[in-house]
Structures are given as C-alpha cells and as structure tokens.
Amino acid sequence: MANILLLHGPNLSQLGSRDPEQYGTATLDDVVAAARAAAEAEGAELTHLQTEHEGELVSRIHDARTDGTDIVIVNAGAWSHYSYAIRDALELLTIPKVEVHLSNITAREPFRHTSVLTAVCDGAILGFGIDGYPLAVRAGLNLHDGVST
Ligand code: DQA
C-alpha cells in the first residue's frame, strides 16, 4: 500500500473564507477529504500536515526520507515563491513529488508566477481548485507505480 504525505503551508488553514474568487469555498478539511478519498479509492493511505511554520515543514520533509512515505503532494502556499529551504529539503527526497496550487499562479500577481519548488518536483497542477488534489494523487500514484500516462 502506498503512503502519501500531503503537505500544506501557511494560510491554507483559512480556506473557505480566504479569497473565494481565487481559492473557492472549500475548507482545508474538504480539500484533505477529497485527496484522501482519491487515495483510498486506489488502496493508498494519506497523511496530512498543515503548518504556519516553515521549519516544521522542512523537518516533516526530512522525516519523509525515512518514515515510509512513498509520495509527497505539496501546496506550500506563499513559501512556494521564495523558500529555498523548502526547495532544498524537497530536493533531498527521491520519491515522487507533486506540487499543487488551487489557483493558477501564472495568471496572478507577478510575484506568484514563479515557484522555486517546481524544478525539484516531478510536476505541478495549477488552477483547478479542489479538483487538483485527486489529480495530484493520481499523478503521484502513477509515478510510484511506474505507469506512464
Ligand atoms: C496558493 C497560491 C499562493 O500564491 C498563495 O500564497 C497561497 C495559495 C494556491 O494554492 O493557489 O497561499 O499556493
């Protein structure tokens, strides 16, 4: 059974009431439930962490190197745009890594156009709101199982 680790960065705890034009009305619990349902439908298990603290996210990524995590799905929020610490931690992980953003970051303010994480992930899913999470689960499992799409 594949173990999927879903990671969320700052302010994503506020989903549901945070800028619904960009992020929709789903809460973080809804997002995690959608990802977990997709994982469980494929016989996989999903663990989740959301944190407002960058070091906690870095440490959790380090732990994923040895705790049996098979796939990481990460929406690091604003850290995506400038955290070389999270980038370097992800780079150390040799398992499939899928980046997700609820909004299409390339169509927003210029500071959001670049994610420093994308280059150390296998790919990124942008702009599909909550629907991006089941897609990310699918993409991560296909990479894990060596299925080409
Ligand atoms: C986000 C996009 C980021 O620019 C923003 O800071 C977030 C959410 C997204 O999911 O669209 O917190 O990662």
Side-chain angles (χ1 to χ4, degrees):
M1 175 190 291
N3 293 309
I4 301 173
L5 176 61
L6 174 61
L7 297 172
H8 280 107
N11 301 307
L12 291 162
S13 55
Q14 306 305 303
L15 286 178
S17 60
R18 179 185 173 200
D19 197 351
E21 293 253 310
Q22 290 296 343
Y23 303 126
T25 53
T27 64
L28 184 61
D29 283 350
D30 296 334
V31 165
V32 175
R36 182 165 284 128
E40 288 178 354
E42 301 293 337
E45 228 169 57
L46 185 135
T47 305
H48 175 243
L49 171 75
Q50 186 276 330
T51 178
E52 317 295 350
H53 304 282
E54 187 178 5
E56 188 180 1
L57 192 64
V58 170
S59 293
R60 187 65 189 87
I61 294 167
H62 291 171
D63 291 347
R65 299 178 72 196
T66 54
D67 71 357
T69 299
D70 297 302
I71 298 160
V72 164
I73 298 172
V74 58
N75 181 351
W79 291 329
S80 313
H81 309 302
Y82 64 88
S83 175
Y84 300 122
I86 294 170
R87 182 212 177 277
D88 287 353
L90 285 170
E91 191 175 31
L92 288 168
L93 270 183
T94 54
I95 56 176
K97 291 163 278 187
V98 183
E99 181 178 6
V100 183
H101 294 283
L102 293 150
S103 62
N104 180 354
I105 55 174
T106 67
R108 300 182 62 192
E109 304 96 314
F111 77 89
R112 295 185 203 273
H113 291 183
T114 299
S115 166
V116 300
L117 310 183
T118 311
V120 294
C121 290
D122 293 282
I125 295 169
L126 314 176
F128 295 108
I130 190 173
D131 291 343
Y133 287 81
L135 294 172
V137 166
R138 181 73 267 151
L141 286 169
N142 283 350
L143 288 166
H144 175 256
D145 297 341
V147 176
S148 60
T149 48

PDB file of all heavy atoms in Angstrom, residues 128-148:
ATOM      1  N   PHE A 128      -6.972  24.345 -10.701  1.00  0.00           N
ATOM      2  CA  PHE A 128      -8.198  23.550 -10.743  1.00  0.00           C
ATOM      3  C   PHE A 128      -8.905  23.487  -9.394  1.00  0.00           C
ATOM      4  O   PHE A 128      -9.806  22.672  -9.196  1.00  0.00           O
ATOM      5  CB  PHE A 128      -7.905  22.133 -11.250  1.00  0.00           C
ATOM      6  CG  PHE A 128      -7.436  22.113 -12.676  1.00  0.00           C
ATOM      7  CD1 PHE A 128      -6.126  21.829 -12.984  1.00  0.00           C
ATOM      8  CD2 PHE A 128      -8.314  22.401 -13.714  1.00  0.00           C
ATOM      9  CE1 PHE A 128      -5.676  21.823 -14.298  1.00  0.00           C
ATOM     10  CE2 PHE A 128      -7.889  22.399 -15.033  1.00  0.00           C
ATOM     11  CZ  PHE A 128      -6.564  22.115 -15.329  1.00  0.00           C
ATOM     12  N   GLY A 129      -8.500  24.348  -8.467  1.00  0.00           N
ATOM     13  CA  GLY A 129      -9.134  24.361  -7.151  1.00  0.00           C
ATOM     14  C   GLY A 129      -8.996  23.002  -6.483  1.00  0.00           C
ATOM     15  O   GLY A 129      -7.986  22.297  -6.653  1.00  0.00           O
ATOM     16  N   ILE A 130     -10.039  22.627  -5.765  1.00  0.00           N
ATOM     17  CA  ILE A 130     -10.013  21.361  -5.012  1.00  0.00           C
ATOM     18  C   ILE A 130      -9.836  20.158  -5.947  1.00  0.00           C
ATOM     19  O   ILE A 130      -9.257  19.138  -5.558  1.00  0.00           O
ATOM     20  CB  ILE A 130     -11.295  21.246  -4.142  1.00  0.00           C
ATOM     21  CG1 ILE A 130     -11.205  20.090  -3.156  1.00  0.00           C
ATOM     22  CG2 ILE A 130     -12.528  21.192  -4.993  1.00  0.00           C
ATOM     23  CD1 ILE A 130     -12.359  20.039  -2.156  1.00  0.00           C
ATOM     24  N   ASP A 131     -10.267  20.282  -7.198  1.00  0.00           N
ATOM     25  CA  ASP A 131     -10.147  19.159  -8.144  1.00  0.00           C
ATOM     26  C   ASP A 131      -8.694  18.807  -8.439  1.00  0.00           C
ATOM     27  O   ASP A 131      -8.400  17.704  -8.919  1.00  0.00           O
ATOM     28  CB  ASP A 131     -10.832  19.486  -9.480  1.00  0.00           C
ATOM     29  CG  ASP A 131     -12.335  19.566  -9.352  1.00  0.00           C
ATOM     30  OD1 ASP A 131     -12.886  19.062  -8.347  1.00  0.00           O
ATOM     31  OD2 ASP A 131     -12.973  20.139 -10.263  1.00  0.00           O
ATOM     32  N   GLY A 132      -7.790  19.736  -8.163  1.00  0.00           N
ATOM     33  CA  GLY A 132      -6.375  19.456  -8.399  1.00  0.00           C
ATOM     34  C   GLY A 132      -5.823  18.365  -7.495  1.00  0.00           C
ATOM     35  O   GLY A 132      -4.839  17.700  -7.843  1.00  0.00           O
ATOM     36  N   TYR A 133      -6.456  18.168  -6.356  1.00  0.00           N
ATOM     37  CA  TYR A 133      -5.901  17.209  -5.385  1.00  0.00           C
ATOM     38  C   TYR A 133      -6.077  15.747  -5.803  1.00  0.00           C
ATOM     39  O   TYR A 133      -5.100  14.985  -5.765  1.00  0.00           O
ATOM     40  CB  TYR A 133      -6.448  17.508  -3.987  1.00  0.00           C
ATOM     41  CG  TYR A 133      -5.814  18.766  -3.414  1.00  0.00           C
ATOM     42  CD1 TYR A 133      -6.267  20.027  -3.773  1.00  0.00           C
ATOM     43  CD2 TYR A 133      -4.720  18.688  -2.564  1.00  0.00           C
ATOM     44  CE1 TYR A 133      -5.656  21.185  -3.290  1.00  0.00           C
ATOM     45  CE2 TYR A 133      -4.104  19.830  -2.067  1.00  0.00           C
ATOM     46  CZ  TYR A 133      -4.579  21.072  -2.439  1.00  0.00           C
ATOM     47  OH  TYR A 133      -3.961  22.205  -1.968  1.00  0.00           O
ATOM     48  N   PRO A 134      -7.288  15.338  -6.226  1.00  0.00           N
ATOM     49  CA  PRO A 134      -7.391  13.968  -6.773  1.00  0.00           C
ATOM     50  C   PRO A 134      -6.483  13.773  -7.989  1.00  0.00           C
ATOM     51  O   PRO A 134      -5.919  12.689  -8.173  1.00  0.00           O
ATOM     52  CB  PRO A 134      -8.875  13.846  -7.154  1.00  0.00           C
ATOM     53  CG  PRO A 134      -9.567  14.812  -6.240  1.00  0.00           C
ATOM     54  CD  PRO A 134      -8.615  15.957  -6.071  1.00  0.00           C
ATOM     55  N   LEU A 135      -6.312  14.826  -8.801  1.00  0.00           N
ATOM     56  CA  LEU A 135      -5.395  14.722  -9.953  1.00  0.00           C
ATOM     57  C   LEU A 135      -3.964  14.496  -9.463  1.00  0.00           C
ATOM     58  O   LEU A 135      -3.212  13.695 -10.040  1.00  0.00           O
ATOM     59  CB  LEU A 135      -5.452  15.995 -10.804  1.00  0.00           C
ATOM     60  CG  LEU A 135      -6.771  16.280 -11.528  1.00  0.00           C
ATOM     61  CD1 LEU A 135      -6.740  17.671 -12.164  1.00  0.00           C
ATOM     62  CD2 LEU A 135      -7.033  15.225 -12.587  1.00  0.00           C
ATOM     63  N   ALA A 136      -3.591  15.201  -8.403  1.00  0.00           N
ATOM     64  CA  ALA A 136      -2.238  15.059  -7.853  1.00  0.00           C
ATOM     65  C   ALA A 136      -2.029  13.649  -7.283  1.00  0.00           C
ATOM     66  O   ALA A 136      -0.961  13.053  -7.456  1.00  0.00           O
ATOM     67  CB  ALA A 136      -1.994  16.109  -6.785  1.00  0.00           C
ATOM     68  N   VAL A 137      -3.053  13.121  -6.624  1.00  0.00           N
ATOM     69  CA  VAL A 137      -2.972  11.756  -6.091  1.00  0.00           C
ATOM     70  C   VAL A 137      -2.749  10.774  -7.237  1.00  0.00           C
ATOM     71  O   VAL A 137      -1.873   9.910  -7.193  1.00  0.00           O
ATOM     72  CB  VAL A 137      -4.252  11.406  -5.298  1.00  0.00           C
ATOM     73  CG1 VAL A 137      -4.345   9.904  -5.026  1.00  0.00           C
ATOM     74  CG2 VAL A 137      -4.295  12.193  -3.989  1.00  0.00           C
ATOM     75  N   ARG A 138      -3.534  10.946  -8.287  1.00  0.00           N
ATOM     76  CA  ARG A 138      -3.422  10.062  -9.470  1.00  0.00           C
ATOM     77  C   ARG A 138      -2.022  10.142 -10.077  1.00  0.00           C
ATOM     78  O   ARG A 138      -1.378   9.134 -10.381  1.00  0.00           O
ATOM     79  CB  ARG A 138      -4.496  10.494 -10.476  1.00  0.00           C
ATOM     80  CG  ARG A 138      -4.625   9.756 -11.748  1.00  0.00           C
ATOM     81  CD  ARG A 138      -5.241   8.373 -11.587  1.00  0.00           C
ATOM     82  NE  ARG A 138      -4.195   7.400 -11.432  1.00  0.00           N
ATOM     83  CZ  ARG A 138      -4.308   6.249 -10.761  1.00  0.00           C
ATOM     84  NH1 ARG A 138      -5.423   5.925 -10.182  1.00  0.00           N
ATOM     85  NH2 ARG A 138      -3.311   5.413 -10.678  1.00  0.00           N
ATOM     86  N   ALA A 139      -1.539  11.378 -10.238  1.00  0.00           N
ATOM     87  CA  ALA A 139      -0.213  11.572 -10.837  1.00  0.00           C
ATOM     88  C   ALA A 139       0.873  10.948  -9.958  1.00  0.00           C
ATOM     89  O   ALA A 139       1.784  10.275 -10.460  1.00  0.00           O
ATOM     90  CB  ALA A 139       0.053  13.062 -11.035  1.00  0.00           C
ATOM     91  N   GLY A 140       0.754  11.143  -8.653  1.00  0.00           N
ATOM     92  CA  GLY A 140       1.756  10.590  -7.738  1.00  0.00           C
ATOM     93  C   GLY A 140       1.743   9.070  -7.751  1.00  0.00           C
ATOM     94  O   GLY A 140       2.807   8.428  -7.777  1.00  0.00           O
ATOM     95  N   LEU A 141       0.552   8.472  -7.761  1.00  0.00           N
ATOM     96  CA  LEU A 141       0.461   7.005  -7.776  1.00  0.00           C
ATOM     97  C   LEU A 141       1.000   6.445  -9.085  1.00  0.00           C
ATOM     98  O   LEU A 141       1.676   5.411  -9.087  1.00  0.00           O
ATOM     99  CB  LEU A 141      -0.991   6.567  -7.549  1.00  0.00           C
ATOM    100  CG  LEU A 141      -1.484   6.715  -6.110  1.00  0.00           C
ATOM    101  CD1 LEU A 141      -3.005   6.510  -6.049  1.00  0.00           C
ATOM    102  CD2 LEU A 141      -0.793   5.719  -5.186  1.00  0.00           C
ATOM    103  N   ASN A 142       0.716   7.124 -10.190  1.00  0.00           N
ATOM    104  CA  ASN A 142       1.239   6.642 -11.481  1.00  0.00           C
ATOM    105  C   ASN A 142       2.764   6.667 -11.491  1.00  0.00           C
ATOM    106  O   ASN A 142       3.399   5.730 -11.973  1.00  0.00           O
ATOM    107  CB  ASN A 142       0.695   7.481 -12.642  1.00  0.00           C
ATOM    108  CG  ASN A 142      -0.736   7.132 -12.991  1.00  0.00           C
ATOM    109  OD1 ASN A 142      -1.283   6.149 -12.498  1.00  0.00           O
ATOM    110  ND2 ASN A 142      -1.349   7.929 -13.848  1.00  0.00           N
ATOM    111  N   LEU A 143       3.339   7.734 -10.938  1.00  0.00           N
ATOM    112  CA  LEU A 143       4.802   7.787 -10.857  1.00  0.00           C
ATOM    113  C   LEU A 143       5.330   6.672  -9.960  1.00  0.00           C
ATOM    114  O   LEU A 143       6.304   5.981 -10.292  1.00  0.00           O
ATOM    115  CB  LEU A 143       5.250   9.152 -10.301  1.00  0.00           C
ATOM    116  CG  LEU A 143       5.094  10.349 -11.237  1.00  0.00           C
ATOM    117  CD1 LEU A 143       5.241  11.639 -10.464  1.00  0.00           C
ATOM    118  CD2 LEU A 143       6.109  10.275 -12.376  1.00  0.00           C
ATOM    119  N   HIS A 144       4.673   6.482  -8.836  1.00  0.00           N
ATOM    120  CA  HIS A 144       5.091   5.452  -7.872  1.00  0.00           C
ATOM    121  C   HIS A 144       5.020   4.058  -8.493  1.00  0.00           C
ATOM    122  O   HIS A 144       5.888   3.219  -8.292  1.00  0.00           O
ATOM    123  CB  HIS A 144       4.197   5.547  -6.633  1.00  0.00           C
ATOM    124  CG  HIS A 144       4.438   4.487  -5.613  1.00  0.00           C
ATOM    125  ND1 HIS A 144       3.608   3.409  -5.426  1.00  0.00           N
ATOM    126  CD2 HIS A 144       5.443   4.339  -4.703  1.00  0.00           C
ATOM    127  CE1 HIS A 144       4.084   2.646  -4.447  1.00  0.00           C
ATOM    128  NE2 HIS A 144       5.189   3.190  -4.002  1.00  0.00           N
ATOM    129  N   ASP A 145       3.945   3.833  -9.278  1.00  0.00           N
ATOM    130  CA  ASP A 145       3.747   2.507  -9.866  1.00  0.00           C
ATOM    131  C   ASP A 145       4.482   2.338 -11.190  1.00  0.00           C
ATOM    132  O   ASP A 145       4.381   1.301 -11.838  1.00  0.00           O
ATOM    133  CB  ASP A 145       2.240   2.266 -10.101  1.00  0.00           C
ATOM    134  CG  ASP A 145       1.467   2.254  -8.786  1.00  0.00           C
ATOM    135  OD1 ASP A 145       2.099   2.069  -7.723  1.00  0.00           O
ATOM    136  OD2 ASP A 145       0.233   2.457  -8.829  1.00  0.00           O
ATOM    137  N   GLY A 146       5.141   3.426 -11.629  1.00  0.00           N
ATOM    138  CA  GLY A 146       5.875   3.345 -12.899  1.00  0.00           C
ATOM    139  C   GLY A 146       4.970   3.287 -14.111  1.00  0.00           C
ATOM    140  O   GLY A 146       5.340   2.775 -15.168  1.00  0.00           O
ATOM    141  N   VAL A 147       3.744   3.833 -13.950  1.00  0.00           N
ATOM    142  CA  VAL A 147       2.799   3.852 -15.067  1.00  0.00           C
ATOM    143  C   VAL A 147       3.018   5.139 -15.847  1.00  0.00           C
ATOM    144  O   VAL A 147       3.049   6.218 -15.266  1.00  0.00           O
ATOM    145  CB  VAL A 147       1.346   3.850 -14.546  1.00  0.00           C
ATOM    146  CG1 VAL A 147       0.338   3.962 -15.677  1.00  0.00           C
ATOM    147  CG2 VAL A 147       1.085   2.611 -13.704  1.00  0.00           C
ATOM    148  N   SER A 148       3.178   5.046 -17.167  1.00  0.00           N
ATOM    149  CA  SER A 148       3.316   6.283 -17.934  1.00  0.00           C
ATOM    150  C   SER A 148       1.948   6.693 -18.449  1.00  0.00           C
ATOM    151  O   SER A 148       1.129   5.847 -18.813  1.00  0.00           O
ATOM    152  CB  SER A 148       4.307   6.128 -19.076  1.00  0.00           C
ATOM    153  OG  SER A 148       3.844   5.126 -19.932  1.00  0.00           O
TER     154      SER A 148
END
